[in-house]
């Protein structure tokens, strides 16, 4: 402002062709001098890091641009605006497809599937690592009451939006069709079960871990068996005494007495002596 105030009034002069030529020459000289001062540069390839920095700069520029945007007056979206928007989307889609060149489809290999699953696992792990620690809170009666109220309100609102229906009587034909459907479902389920599960064994790999668990189970079973045996040792189970049991017991006792006292041996010896005496009588 002060500069303009100190400037006096001048006489305007027409722009002549000579002035135009001098102006263009000055611009050319300035451009030539600017390029002469620039040294030689070595081109560098565009690395992924440079791409990342470029995208970050674009995001930062977008954020700063939105911060500098002032307040605007919203306008309602009219049918004409909707029509123009759809037309623009269709035109953009057509132009985008025209600019897309021909591509060679590649088969999805097992390696690509493995990399994809690994990326999903890494994303899941990174997402969980980013989660902070939470403090569990007990479910109080008040929270239970609020939850039940919300469920009842949702149920009421759902039923309010339902239109009124006309009840129909349950005829014997409907009952028959219902039973037929149940029977068909049961038959199909049984057929699929027999085809897929019944008669087929589940093959499980015999890994070292499974063998270790099996051996541990055997040891535990053996220890449990011996423990039960030691507890039951010295005890007896009472049984009812009937005549048959008494007879078997008496016969067993007689056999035990015969074996213990040697009665059987004496009987055998007496039988041998009798046979010898009979032989002597026959020869004498």
């Amino acid at each position: 402002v002060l500069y303009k105030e100190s400037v006096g009034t001048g006489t305007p002069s027409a722009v002549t062709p000579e002035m135009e030529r001098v102006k263009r020459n000055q611009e050319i000289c300035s451009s030539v001098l600017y390029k002469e001062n620039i040294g030689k540069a070595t081109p560098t390839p565009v690395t992924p890091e440079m791409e990342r920095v470029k995208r970050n700069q674009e995001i930062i520029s977008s954020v700063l641009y939105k911060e500098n945007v002032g307040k605007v007056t919203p306008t309602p979206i009219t049918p004409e605006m909707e029509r123009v928007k759809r037309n623009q989307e269709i035109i953009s889609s057509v132009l985008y497809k025209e600019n897309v060149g021909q591509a060679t489809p590649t088969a999805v290999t097992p390696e690509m599937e493995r990399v994809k699953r690994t990326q999903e696992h890494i994303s899941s792990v990174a997402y969980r690592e980013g989660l902070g620690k939470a403090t569990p809170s007990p479910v109080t009666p008040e929270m239970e009451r609020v939850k039940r109220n919300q469920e009842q309100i949702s149920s009421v609102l759902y039923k309010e939006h339902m239109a009124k229906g006309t009840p129909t009587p349950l005829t014997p034909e409907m009952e028959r069709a219902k039973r037929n459907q149940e029977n068909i479902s049961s038959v199909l389920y049984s057929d699929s079960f027999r085809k897929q599960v019944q008669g087929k064994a589940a093959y499980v790999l015999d890994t070292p871990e499974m063998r270790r668990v099996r051996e541990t189970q055997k040891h535990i079973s053996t220890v449990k068996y011996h423990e039960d045996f030691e507890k039951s040792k010295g005890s007896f189970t009472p049984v009812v005494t009937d005549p048959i049991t008494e007879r078997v017991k008496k016969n067993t006792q007689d056999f035990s007495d015969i074996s213990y006292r040697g009665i059987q041996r004496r009987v055998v010896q007496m039988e041998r002596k009798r046979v010898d005496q009979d032989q002597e009588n026959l020869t004498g």
Side-chain angles (χ1 to χ4, degrees):
V1 175
L2 295 176
Y3 170 75
K4 292 182 180 180
E5 288 180 355
S6 61
V7 176
T9 59
T11 304
S13 57
V15 179
T16 61
E18 183 64 19
M19 294 174 65
E20 289 284 344
R21 186 182 64 80
V22 172
K23 184 177 179 180
R24 283 197 300 274
N25 290 339
Q26 289 293 332
E27 292 175 354
I28 295 170
C29 291
S30 299
S31 176
V32 171
L33 293 175
Y34 173 74
K35 293 181 179 180
E36 287 179 354
N37 293 329
I38 296 176
K40 294 182 179 180
T42 304
T44 58
V46 179
T47 60
E49 182 66 18
M50 295 172 67
E51 290 285 342
R52 185 183 64 80
V53 172
K54 183 177 178 182
R55 285 196 300 272
N56 290 341
Q57 289 293 331
E58 292 175 354
I59 294 171
I60 293 170
S61 300
S62 176
V63 172
L64 295 177
Y65 171 76
K66 292 180 180 179
E67 288 180 354
N68 295 327
V69 175
K71 295 181 179 180
V72 297
T73 303
T75 57
I77 299 176
T78 61
E80 182 65 19
M81 294 172 66
E82 289 285 344
R83 185 183 64 79
V84 173
K85 184 178 178 181
R86 284 197 300 272
N87 291 340
Q88 288 293 331
E89 291 175 355
I90 295 170
I91 293 171
S92 299
S93 177
V94 172
L95 294 176
Y96 172 75
K97 293 180 180 179
E98 289 179 354
N99 295 328
V100 174
Q102 295 181 353
T104 304
T106 57
V108 179
T109 61
E111 182 66 18
M112 294 172 67
E113 289 286 342
R114 185 185 64 79
V115 172
K116 184 178 178 182
R117 285 196 301 273
T118 304
Q119 288 293 331
E120 292 176 354
H121 294 329
I122 293 172
S123 300
S124 177
V125 172
Y127 171 75
R128 292 180 182 177
E129 289 179 353
L131 291 174
K133 294 182 178 179
T135 304
S137 59
V139 180
T140 60
E142 182 66 17
M143 294 172 67
E144 290 285 343
R145 185 183 63 79
V146 173
K147 184 179 178 181
R148 284 196 300 273
N149 291 340
Q150 288 294 330
E151 292 175 355
Q152 291 170 0
I153 293 171
S154 300
S155 177
V156 171
L157 293 176
Y158 172 76
K159 292 180 180 179
E160 287 180 355
H161 293 300
M162 293 179 65
K164 293 182 179 180
T166 304
T168 58
L170 191 59
T171 61
E173 181 66 20
M174 294 172 66
E175 287 286 344
R176 186 184 63 79
K178 183 179 179 181
R179 284 196 301 273
N180 290 340
Q181 288 295 329
E182 292 175 354
N183 295 333
I184 292 170
S185 300
S186 177
V187 170
L188 294 176
Y189 173 76
S190 300
D191 289 341
S192 62
F193 175 77
R194 282 194 295 270
K195 291 178 181 178
Q196 298 177 7
V197 180
Q198 191 175 9
K200 295 183 180 179
Y203 296 97
V204 182
L205 295 178
D206 190 11
T207 60
E209 181 66 17
M210 293 183 67
R211 287 195 291 270
R212 184 185 66 79
V213 172
R214 190 164 57 245
E215 291 294 331
T216 304
Q217 288 294 330
K218 288 181 181 178
H219 294 325
I220 293 172
S221 300
T222 305
V223 172
K224 183 67 175 174
Y225 171 76
H226 284 291
E227 182 180 353
D228 294 340
F229 175 75
E230 292 294 333
K231 287 181 180 179
S232 62
K233 187 169 64 174
S235 62
F236 61 93
T237 303
V239 295
V240 179
T241 303
D242 54 354
I244 298 176
T245 306
E246 288 290 340
R247 183 176 59 80
V248 172
K249 184 178 178 181
K250 186 177 179 181
N251 292 336
T252 305
Q253 187 67 33
D254 293 339
F255 283 118
S256 299
D257 292 340
I258 291 171
S259 299
Y260 177 71
R261 297 175 182 177
I263 297 174
Q264 183 70 24
R265 289 195 298 271
R266 282 182 287 178
V267 171
V268 173
Q269 290 175 0
M270 292 174 65
E271 185 67 26
R272 287 178 181 176
K273 288 180 180 181
R274 188 180 64 78
V275 171
D276 293 338
Q277 289 177 359
D278 291 339
Q279 289 292 332
E280 290 177 357
N281 294 328
L282 290 174
T283 56

